[in-house]
Amino acid sequence: MKLLNKKLLVAITMAIFALFLVVGCGGGGQSTDTQQPEQPAAEQPAEEPAAEEPATEEPQQQEASAGGDMVFVSSAEKAGCADCHGTVADTIAKIENHPQMQVQAVSDCQPCHGDGDLSLRKVLHSAHYGGAISVACVHCHKLAEDGTVPVGELAPEGTNFVTIEVAAVDKAPGGCTDCHRKVSDDKDYSLAATIAKIEGHPQLPIDNASACVQCHAEGSPLALSLAMHKAHLQGEHYKENYGNSCLNCHDQANKMAVKGL
């Protein structure tokens, strides 16, 4: 009887032990349905702020520049005829029907080429204009301090010259009033307005250059050419805007006469 009770006790103990074993191990098993870790949502690239359009400015109204592309020639580039021609005698030898003479300088030409149709001025202007070689006025003519513009080699001894630069452009086909005109109330460049700015000059309602020669006759100390050459060719405004050009005032097609005169 005691043996039976002992076996029964052992069986009950083993059953309880097995029960604890099953319960304890059953909860520790890992599920075969493993869940993938949740992926974080892909970050969307931050939107760049829309570029601000630059504020549009009202275009500034500017005065039309009269400059443009101008090629300047210096009066110091050529000292005289020999810089281009070698000797005057060699040049004369090439002129058909011209007497062959041993001329040393252009001043030797004056006895025959004084005035009239064979004047030195007419002959040389016609020969140099429109030739194969570009010739600027200041290659021959030089600006003197007194406002005269003689041929350099024919100027009186001791004449002091002013070096200038000029461009061969014609920005005033109509002469003085193409430049000297009223643009607006605060930009009046007319002849009358210009004269009004000259200290000590009588105030006159002049609207063209021909009225000026009544007082500024050539050959007098107040000659118009002297005043105009000094005022225009030695100023920065005329050079920057009109190229210091002789052709703005002088008519190349009319023996270099002043336009309007």
Side-chain angles (χ1 to χ4, degrees), residues 88-90 92-93 98-104 108 112:
V88 178
D90 289 342
I92 290 177
H98 192 287
Q100 301 307 304
M101 309 170 67
Q102 292 301 313
V103 176
Q104 301 299 318
D108 295 334
C112 297

Side-chain angles (χ1 to χ4, degrees), residues 73-79 138-139 141-143 162-166:
V73 174
S74 172
S75 60
E77 287 185 8
K78 307 291 184 183
V138 293
H139 283 156
H141 294 272
K142 311 299 178 183
L143 175 64
V162 179
T163 299
I164 59 174
E165 293 182 333
V166 303

Side-chain angles (χ1 to χ4, degrees), residues 112-198:
C112 297
H113 295 278
D115 297 321
D117 292 337
L118 291 179
S119 68
L120 195 60
R121 170 182 175 139
K122 291 183 178 180
V123 170
L124 294 187
H125 281 171
S126 299
H128 288 82
Y129 293 160
I133 300 175
S134 177
V135 179
C137 298
V138 293
H139 283 156
C140 302
H141 294 272
K142 311 299 178 183
L143 175 64
E145 289 181 346
D146 63 359
T148 57
V149 189
V151 172
E153 293 184 53
L154 299 180
E157 186 176 353
T159 300
N160 293 320
F161 296 115
V162 179
T163 299
I164 59 174
E165 293 182 333
V166 303
V169 295
D170 185 359
K171 293 182 175 293
C176 303
T177 52
D178 279 3
C179 303
H180 289 280
R181 56 190 177 85
K182 184 176 181 179
V183 179
S184 61
D185 289 339
D186 60 340
K187 294 178 181 178
D188 188 354
Y189 309 116
S190 64
L191 290 175
T194 302
I195 289 173
K197 299 174 184 177
I198 302 175

